[in-house]
Amino acid sequence: MSDRHTEELADPARRARGMGGSVRRWWRQSDQFDWFTVYLRDRGLQRQWRLATFGFTAVLAALPIVLLGSPVGPDHTLTRAVAVTSAATGAGASVLWLRRWPTRNQSMIFNAVCSLSIAAMCLAMSNPYNGLMGCTLFAAVGGFLAYFHALSHMLVNLLVAMLCSAITAARLLGESGDVSLTVAALLTVVALNVGVPFGIESLVHTLRTDLRNSDRDPLTGLLDRRGFYHAVHELAVNRPDGICLNVTMLDLDDFKKVNDTHGHAAGDDVLVNVAVVLRHTCRADAVLCRLGGEEFVIADTDGPAKHAATVERLRREIVTVPFGVTASFGTCTVTADPGSARDHPRFVDRLIEVADAAMYRAKRAGGDQIHHRHLD
């Protein structure tokens, strides 16, 4: 068999593996609440989103009360009580957005309350057709989850929507015997609950990828300052209690001599090589950034011993970069849970300030050294 024929046979297998890898990455992607929250905050859009979410939720919460006066609405004491409870919980959930921007957990509770309230309202309808068509409202919850949360959360909402739709469709078919009407209504519900959330999820995933690629230094390919702030904010908020968060500043010693002696092209070559050292030495999920000039910053969640070993390895590896440059390092470690401090806009600034001060102490001591600081 020729090599060309072998390659042609192997191509579909490679494509299948690549597709399988893409599906796995899509399934495993993390919750999007933190980065999208920062995205909206940086653009001054949080207030508009809060008011829009409050208004939309409040209107939906009013629907069960309005339908109490309709002959197709709840017509028994129990179903009327369910409708009133559904309206009250929905109204309570809407107030959350009127007061302030919620935390991730509060947002998850909000979505769960909305999903269960919609299910209760649909099942309480005396007319099963109205109940089935009311299941289209799950698409709004799914769309919100697509913006702010993970794929698994969307699928749970979709499961609730499909279960509620199946119950109301069975009621409609049993009472009317109209197969065509039932199938048409059910297809409408399924199309909206699949199309809207997954369409938004695809758009937001693409937006996130583009934003991350745009927040990069063109010379080294590392994150720039804005990208670093966003990435570390996610890292800090997602960090479990008791796990270390480390920020390491490094500044190349006497870098100006390289530019003055060998030219700016040589200086750029040194910066690119330092970026390669950072990528090869730091853990895969570390946040790597070139702040500007010859300053770099790293964030990771290693324990104290492993972090110290990594920084020492970095110090030794940078000495091997062309033109014999060295670097001064300053590290800042947070080990105790800072609670609400990590949600503060200046939390990342404070970590960088402490690491920067430690780095300048290393530089004043002669360079090619590491100074550690711990932030309570």
Side-chain angles (χ1 to χ4, degrees):
M1 186 180 294
S2 68
D3 291 341
R4 180 179 177 182
H5 187 58
T6 302
E7 289 178 5
E8 288 175 353
L9 290 176
D11 278 344
R14 286 198 204 99
R15 285 195 293 269
R17 286 195 298 271
M19 187 177 299
S22 299
V23 171
R24 284 193 296 272
R25 286 192 296 272
W26 179 59
W27 172 255
R28 293 172 182 171
Q29 62 183 304
S30 61
D31 188 290
Q32 302 178 143
F33 186 84
D34 295 315
W35 83 263
F36 200 63
T37 293
V38 172
Y39 176 83
L40 294 176
R41 186 191 68 198
D42 288 350
R43 287 154 180 80
L45 295 173
Q46 281 192 354
R47 186 171 183 273
Q48 292 91 317
W49 273 74
R50 286 198 303 109
L51 294 178
T53 305
F54 162 74
F56 184 75
T57 309
V59 169
L60 291 184
L63 292 181
I65 302 300
V66 173
L67 288 169
L68 289 175
S70 170
V72 300
D75 59 355
H76 297 291
T77 303
L78 179 59
T79 55
R80 286 175 176 272
V82 168
V84 171
T85 302
S86 173
T89 54
S94 71
V95 173
L96 170 68
W97 291 89
L98 188 61
R99 295 178 59 194
R100 64 181 180 85
W101 192 263
T103 65
R104 184 199 292 107
N105 288 338
Q106 288 172 339
S107 176
M108 288 300 303
I109 293 171
F110 166 80
N111 282 280
V113 168
C114 289
S115 184
L116 293 176
S117 296
I118 291 171
M121 182 187 74
C122 294
L123 295 175
M125 292 292 158
S126 60
N127 186 319
Y129 178 78
N130 285 14
L132 178 56
M133 295 309 297
C135 292
T136 57
L137 296 176
F138 284 104
V141 179
F144 186 94
L145 290 169
Y147 274 116
F148 289 99
H149 295 287
L151 177 64
S152 57
H153 303 141
M154 291 169 50
L155 293 179
V156 170
N157 178 72
L158 179 61
L159 179 62
V160 175
M162 294 301 97
L163 180 61
C164 188
S165 301
I167 294 172
T168 50
R171 284 181 54 201
L172 176 60
L173 185 61
E175 292 183 15
S176 67
D178 192 333
V179 176
S180 297
L181 177 65
T182 303
V183 171
L186 191 58
L187 287 176
T188 301
V189 171
V190 172
L192 287 173
N193 278 285
V194 173
V196 172
F198 284 91
I200 293 174
E201 196 277 338
S202 175
L203 175 64
V204 172
H205 180 67
T206 303
L207 174 64
R208 185 179 190 179
T209 301
D210 289 346
L211 284 173
R212 285 184 167 177
N213 290 335
S214 68
D215 289 343
R216 292 196 176 274
D217 171 53
L219 177 64
T220 62
L222 303 181
L223 291 172
D224 61 17
R225 181 181 293 269
R226 184 177 68 174
F228 179 79
Y229 272 65
H230 290 175
V232 175
H233 179 82
E234 286 189 54
L235 194 66
V237 174
N238 291 332
R239 181 174 58 89
D241 294 349
I243 302 298
C244 289
L245 175 63
N246 310 295
V247 170
T248 301
M249 288 284 298
L250 70 97
D251 186 272
L252 300 181
D253 301 321
D254 298 323
F255 180 72
K256 187 174 182 296
K257 288 184 180 179
V258 176
N259 284 330
D260 292 344
T261 305
H262 303 283
H264 287 282
D268 288 348
D269 186 50
V270 168
L271 296 174
V272 170
N273 277 277
V274 169
V276 171
V277 169
L278 296 184
R279 288 193 184 95
H280 288 174
T281 308
C282 297
R283 55 189 285 173
D285 60 350
V287 180
L288 309 176
C289 166
R290 180 190 175 203
L291 281 181
E294 64 271 24
E295 282 192 325
F296 297 82
V297 61
I298 307 159
D300 62 53
T301 55
D302 278 332
K306 189 172 182 181
H307 172 67
T310 299
V311 177
E312 173 59 26
R313 193 159 61 250
L314 277 173
R315 187 192 66 79
R316 293 196 306 267
E317 289 293 328
I318 286 178
V319 176
T320 67
V321 167
F323 306 108
V325 297
T326 61
S328 298
F329 293 80
T331 71
C332 173
T333 298
V334 178
T335 52
D337 176 33
S340 60
R342 55 188 177 182
D343 289 327
H344 194 279
R346 292 206 72 250
F347 177 67
V348 177
D349 285 320
R350 180 58 180 153
L351 297 179
I352 292 177
E353 287 170 4
V354 175
D356 197 48
M359 181 270 293
Y360 275 106
R361 280 197 300 276
K363 190 172 285 288
R364 286 193 297 268
D368 193 22
Q369 297 183 30
I370 303 167
H371 277 226
H372 299 280
R373 284 290 304 275
H374 179 272
L375 183 63
D376 292 329

